[in-house]
Amino acid sequence: MSVLHRLVLTPRDGLACRDGRGWTPIGAGRAHALDWPWPSTILGALRTAWGRSVEAREKRTFGEGDWKERTKGVRLGRLLVLRSRRGEAGWTRVWPRPADATAFEGDRTLVRLDPKPPELPTLGRDDDAAREALWRPLLTDPRKPVALPPWWPEAALVGWLAGERIDRATLTLVPPARRVQSHVGIRADTLTAEQGRLFSEDVLETLDREGEWAIGAELELREGAPGPFLTLGADKRLATVTSPLDEGLFAPPQALLDAFRKGSKGLRLVCVTPACFRHGWLPDGFAAHGNEYRGRLAGIGGELVLRAALVGRPLAVSGWDLAERRPKPTDRMVPPGSVFFFARADGQAFGEAEAKALWLASIGGRSEDGFGRVVPGIWQPAD
């Protein structure tokens, strides 16, 4: 029987998680860092730390064939991005910016990119009637949109999901600073630089004057626990592992449940981790039926209609298999912040039960690796 652990991973020396763009260390190459570690990177670090603790307990080293078999039961559940403020106890949740939010120069209030039925077809793309019929946001304001912070505090996202007006002044989170770390290798025989080990990479600084950033994770294990330290990302940078993490941090906020209790004609789902779908941007379980995409979501009764999808550029997610000593297959995933809009096929509203079922639920593939986590929001589509 598996035991669920709720952990806090706190990087002690920044994060260097490379984004997979091709680079070479020859001639001062450059590696670029992710904005935040992939769930698979977090799982790999926890799986390795747990395996090492089992080796220490059994006083033996796993063979190459044993390692994968002994650690295959380690599964990653819900994930959180956490932030603490200096002088305050405890952690608060941080969320990626939803793709259905924008703002214009001179305005204090955020603008919702609410989709509406299309008025014109997409030129040259008439091979999929269901895709052509997807709703799209229509903006008539000629002003230039402004850039919004990539990370939102808890109150801002909850208010956004609950349908409230959000002031831009509440978006005060500054993302982790980046610095360039240079690596130099010295030849022992000549005491000169070794070209093959001369390169630089981005490092995210998770500790700043205001506080620090951390990762909240649920981990299923058959026995024992990882920790108290692990290495996360490149350069074997240390992170501390502490537990237990307050279970309430994984619960849906009451303000959102209150909003759903009043009923919502439609549903919006915001991806908070990358999502892996078999058909690219289209959620698993949905297929074209005439001029609509219809399907089901786990935990939600009845058939749903996908009305709109605001999806950013796909992410190429891969990694290195330490047991097999080779690169892992690359998956094209939907980026965090992408938003999907649904309506019930029978016209019924979404309520509190649906909000609870979908809060930090997983959709799509590789759910055991932490991908596809979503949060729900209300949506009142135009008639």
Side-chain angles (χ1 to χ4, degrees), residues 37-366:
W38 299 138
S40 52
T41 301
I42 298 169
L43 173 60
L46 287 166
R47 187 174 178 178
T48 300
W50 179 79
R52 296 302 185 200
S53 67
V54 174
E55 287 181 327
R57 187 166 59 252
E58 296 182 359
K59 298 181 179 179
R60 72 181 186 90
T61 301
F62 295 157
E64 289 189 9
D66 295 338
W67 180 265
K68 208 164 190 176
E69 180 65 24
R70 289 294 303 272
T71 63
K72 69 179 183 181
V74 179
R75 297 185 180 276
L76 190 62
R78 295 177 293 183
L79 284 173
L80 298 172
V81 179
L82 301 176
R83 175 77 170 157
S84 70
R85 292 183 62 86
R86 190 173 302 277
E88 298 180 6
W91 298 96
T92 59
R93 299 183 291 200
V94 175
W95 305 97
R97 177 185 72 85
D100 60 340
T102 190
F104 294 101
E105 294 178 347
D107 285 352
R108 293 185 55 188
T109 305
L110 297 183
V111 175
R112 292 183 180 274
L113 298 177
D114 282 329
K116 299 178 181 179
E119 297 179 355
L120 294 172
T122 304
L123 293 177
R125 299 296 299 271
D126 56 359
D127 56 320
D128 188 336
R131 187 186 61 228
E132 290 300 307
L134 286 175
W135 294 14
R136 309 163 198 159
L138 301 175
L139 289 177
T140 58
D141 198 313
R143 292 175 297 172
K144 181 180 179 179
V146 298
L148 297 178
W151 296 107
W152 284 21
E154 168 87 357
L157 184 81
V158 172
W160 186 259
L161 297 176
E164 301 173 1
R165 293 171 63 88
I166 303 299
D167 194 317
R168 284 174 55 195
T170 62
L171 306 180
T172 57
L173 274 178
V174 178
R178 289 173 179 256
R179 65 177 173 86
V180 177
Q181 171 95 21
S182 296
H183 295 254
V184 180
I186 303 298
R187 291 176 58 93
D189 54 347
T190 63
L191 298 181
T192 59
E194 185 175 350
Q195 290 298 314
R197 295 172 61 191
L198 176 62
F199 66 97
S200 61
E201 64 184 355
D202 293 335
V203 177
L204 298 183
E205 295 290 5
T206 56
L207 184 65
D208 54 49
R209 293 182 178 181
E210 300 296 327
E212 61 182 330
W213 298 71
I215 299 165
E218 289 184 329
L219 189 68
E220 291 187 21
L221 297 171
R222 294 192 302 267
E223 58 177 309
F229 302 100
L230 55 74
T231 56
L232 182 59
D235 303 333
K236 296 183 179 180
R237 294 177 179 272
L238 285 177
T240 60
V241 182
T242 55
S243 65
L245 178 61
D246 183 6
E247 183 179 356
L249 282 171
F250 293 92
Q254 189 59 47
L256 181 62
L257 298 181
D258 292 342
F260 267 98
R261 194 174 296 121
K262 301 174 184 177
S264 177
K265 293 171 60 178
L267 169 73
R268 72 179 76 212
L269 278 186
V270 180
C271 294
V272 295
T273 65
C276 184
F277 300 144
R278 288 192 297 270
H279 301 291
W281 64 270
L282 182 65
D284 290 355
F286 284 77
H289 294 268
N291 63 348
E292 291 180 336
Y293 289 110
R294 290 180 171 240
R296 295 176 181 270
L297 291 173
I300 306 299
E303 190 176 42
L304 303 181
V305 178
L306 176 64
R307 289 298 187 200
L310 304 185
V311 180
R313 291 182 176 181
L315 301 173
V317 178
S318 183
W320 185 263
D321 192 319
L322 290 174
E324 298 290 340
R325 299 181 182 274
R326 61 176 179 174
K328 295 180 180 178
T330 299
D331 290 311
R332 285 168 60 87
M333 296 196 184
V334 168
S338 297
V339 185
F340 297 90
F341 297 81
F342 300 91
R344 287 190 185 274
D346 59 9
Q348 297 297 310
F350 297 89
E352 182 180 3
E354 287 78 13
K356 289 181 177 179
L358 289 171
W359 181 259
L360 288 177
S362 180
I363 62 175
R366 299 185 62 177

